[in-house]
Every structure is written in C-alpha cells, then in structure tokens.
C-alpha cells in the first residue's frame, strides 16, 4: 500500500522514491504534490482515519496510508494539514473545504481488514452527506474514489458535470489509467506543474467537462498569428499570466475575450485550464 500512496503523491515509481514497503518509518526526499501546493499557495488537507486530534503525531489503524507523513521536508507544516476524518464534514458544511483533500479511512473501514460489503456500507454512509451537501451541489468539487492496489481495480470519478455511465476508453499505445493519471489530473485541476512521470500518463480531465469521452488535448502549435494554444495575452509564451487570465474569467459563458475559451465550447472551465497546463512553458 505505502509504495502506491507515495507514487500517488510524487509521480515516481518505488524504484525512484525508494519507499518499497509499508514500514511506518520509511520516508523519501523527492518532490511531492504537497510541496507544489505549498509553493503555489493551494490549500490542502489529509483527513486521516481517526477522530483523535493531533495531526501527524497521532498513530491510527492504517496510518501508513497517510502520505503527507512520508516527506520529512513537510515536518514543520504537517500538523496543520493532517486532521481527523471527523473534520471533513465540518469543513464541508462550513464551506471551508480546501482545494485538495485526501480522505483516508482506517484499515477497519477501507476493505483492508474488513469485508467488501462492510467497506461499501462505510463508503455509502460517509459519502451520502457529502453528495447531498451544498458544496458538492455547487458543481465545484470532483471526487476520485480509488484503490491503492497494483492490480487492475475499477476506479470511480464523481462530479455533477460527468455524464452518468461514462467509461474511460483506452487509446491504443497509451499507458493504462493508473495512480500517475490521478496525480496528473489533480495537478491539471489545481494549475500545478506536472511532477515525476505524470506527463506520460493519460489525463482524465475531460471527463469533468461533461462530455464523458476523453478527447485529445490541443498541442502548443504555432498559428498564423504567431501565438500558441494557451497564449492568451499573445506574448509568445504560455505561462502564469495566461493561467491568471483564465482564472479571472472562469465560469464565463460566451466570454467577451474569445481567447479565454481555448477549446471553443462556449464556456471557460476546467478543460481550458487543462489545455494551458498541458502547454505550460511552451
């Protein structure tokens, strides 16, 4: 389990990040999504599978799944971002959900030490109030229900914009959807650079545009005007300025500046941000 959670948060295989077993003391010095979120001032929390307050100092049943604890560079800030799982719905109902949340049930509830039926019941009881919340219904939240196994396991994406019953259709020659894909999609949604090997993984971003079918992301090719896909201010590069312009226009339908609607679907949304992220730095 622990090597999978490490890969899920740093985009590197165990041979590189060096976490190869579930030892609680195993750590790594590689860069992680947590480092990138801190650098970009993106709020985040890990909601760990215990109701005991105390952050990263708390031991709980399955605490080796808590990836924020793998990175010694985060020791000084870990407690501020590692909170009891009971805090999740408190934050949801107060409208204080961070930009990125990792929910980690204990081993008594995550199908590790309990039956599939019991794990399903726990998941239903945990998610039902969240899916009924104003936070989720606002359409600003996407939920990834994923497993940490290396064998093929179904994973579920939930958001108001996803067409019910949509399935990922593998593209011949592409890598299969994996932890690398999940991390890449989170980075794209949060406007973060792609770390580790995530750039080589399929993105799931277009599922959240309501189409239900992943489409190829435009590449940064030159146009007749000399601009590139994602170069909104026409300065010859795709950079943080372009991301800022997209964010300022996010949610607009038929925007007055046609360049912010990069994929020309009549709205400025997460798909447009994803295109900029894919072409960032070009």
């Amino acid at each position: 389990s622990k090597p999978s959670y490490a890969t899920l948060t740093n985009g590197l295989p165990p041979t590189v990040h060096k976490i190869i077993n579930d030892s609680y003391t195993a750590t790594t010095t590689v860069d992680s999504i947590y480092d990138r979120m801190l650098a970009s001032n993106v709020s985040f929390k890990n909601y760990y599978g215990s109701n005991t307050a105390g952050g990263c100092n708390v031991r709980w049943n399955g605490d080796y799944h808590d990836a924020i604890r793998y990175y010694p560079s985060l020791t000084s800030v870990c407690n501020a971002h590692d909170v009891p799982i009971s805090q999740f719905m408190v934050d949801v109902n107060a409208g204080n959900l961070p930009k990125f949340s990792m929910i980690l049930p204990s081993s008594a509830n995550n199908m590790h030490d309990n039956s599939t039926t019991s794990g399903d019941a726990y998941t239903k009881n945990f998610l039902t109030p969240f899916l009924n919340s104003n936070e989720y219904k606002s359409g600003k939240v996407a939920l990834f229900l994923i497993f940490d196994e290396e064998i093929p396991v179904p994973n579920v994406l939930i958001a108001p914009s996803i067409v019910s019953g949509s399935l990922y259709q593998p593209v011949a020659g592409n890598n299969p959807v994996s932890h690398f894909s999940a991390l890449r999609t989170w980075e794209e949604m949060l406007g973060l650079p792609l770390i580790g090997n995530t750039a080589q993984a399929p993105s799931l971003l277009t599922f959240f545009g309501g189409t239900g079918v992943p489409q190829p992301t435009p590449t940064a090719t030159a146009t007749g005007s000399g601009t590139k896909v994602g170069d909104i201010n026409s300065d010859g590069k795709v950079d943080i300025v372009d991301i800022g312009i997209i964010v300022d226009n996010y949610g607009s339908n038929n925007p007055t500046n046609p360049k912010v609607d990069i994929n020309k679907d009549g709205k400025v949304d997460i798909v447009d941000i994803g295109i900029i992220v894919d072409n960032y730095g070009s």
Side-chain angles (χ1 to χ4, degrees):
S1 295
K2 187 166 179 175
S4 294
Y5 276 90
T7 294
L8 187 62
T9 52
N10 61 47
L12 295 168
T15 53
V16 178
H17 60 61
K18 303 300 184 183
I19 293 181
I20 58 175
N21 57 47
D22 288 341
S23 168
Y24 181 79
T25 58
T27 59
T28 182
T29 58
V30 302
D31 197 12
S32 72
I33 188 175
Y34 302 118
D35 296 300
R36 295 303 176 96
M37 288 189 290
L38 285 170
S40 299
N41 199 29
V42 173
S43 59
F44 66 92
K45 287 181 182 178
N46 277 19
Y47 294 87
Y48 59 78
S50 169
N51 292 330
T52 303
C56 296
N57 300 317
V58 172
R59 295 300 307 271
W60 52 278
N61 181 13
D63 51 20
Y64 59 91
H65 295 127
D66 195 357
I68 194 173
R69 304 182 185 205
Y70 304 171
Y71 304 97
S73 62
L74 302 174
T75 299
S76 62
V77 300
C78 193
N79 285 347
H81 299 277
D82 207 36
V83 299
I85 200 165
S86 54
Q87 184 65 35
F88 178 69
M89 281 307 301
V90 174
D91 288 347
V92 168
N93 291 330
N96 292 329
L97 199 63
K99 292 289 186 181
F100 178 80
S101 304
M102 184 171 285
I103 302 164
L104 304 162
S106 74
S107 292
N109 298 314
N110 64 8
M111 301 186 195
H112 190 286
D113 294 341
N114 63 322
S115 67
T116 301
T117 300
S118 177
D120 284 345
Y122 174 85
T123 303
K124 178 180 179 180
N125 290 336
F126 185 88
L127 290 182
T128 296
F130 168 66
L131 297 177
N132 288 327
S133 69
N134 291 332
E135 186 80 7
Y136 175 76
K137 292 179 179 179
S138 71
K140 298 182 295 183
V141 182
L143 172 68
F144 290 65
L145 183 60
I146 59 181
F147 290 81
D148 66 3
E149 301 300 329
E150 295 178 356
I151 61 174
V153 179
N155 296 296
V156 182
L157 309 181
I158 303 173
S161 64
I162 294 179
V163 176
S164 179
S166 299
L167 295 175
Y168 178 82
Q169 301 296 331
V171 178
N174 278 12
N175 296 326
V177 170
S178 63
H179 291 350
F180 296 99
S181 294
L183 179 57
R184 172 178 179 156
T185 308
W186 299 341
E187 291 165 333
E188 291 173 328
M189 287 178 158
L190 297 170
L192 301 174
L194 305 185
I195 61 175
N197 297 340
T198 54
Q200 301 175 31
S203 172
L204 304 175
L205 192 65
T206 50
F207 271 113
F208 300 98
T211 63
V213 180
Q215 299 295 331
T217 299
T219 55
T221 52
T223 66
S225 62
T227 60
K228 300 176 179 180
V229 174
D231 178 18
I232 298 173
N233 65 339
S234 301
D235 65 349
K237 56 180 181 273
V238 182
D239 58 11
I240 193 66
V241 176
D242 301 297
I243 289 179
I245 296 172
I246 281 283
V247 170
D248 285 344
N249 289 274
Y250 191 87
S252 301
N253 292 319
N254 298 311
T256 55
N257 179 0
K259 281 193 172 184
V260 297
D261 179 17
I262 301 175
N263 67 336
K264 308 302 179 188
D265 66 347
K267 57 182 182 288
V268 183
D269 57 14
I270 195 67
V271 178
D272 300 296
I273 291 179
I275 295 171
I276 283 190
V277 171
D278 273 356
N279 296 318
Y280 191 90
S282 63

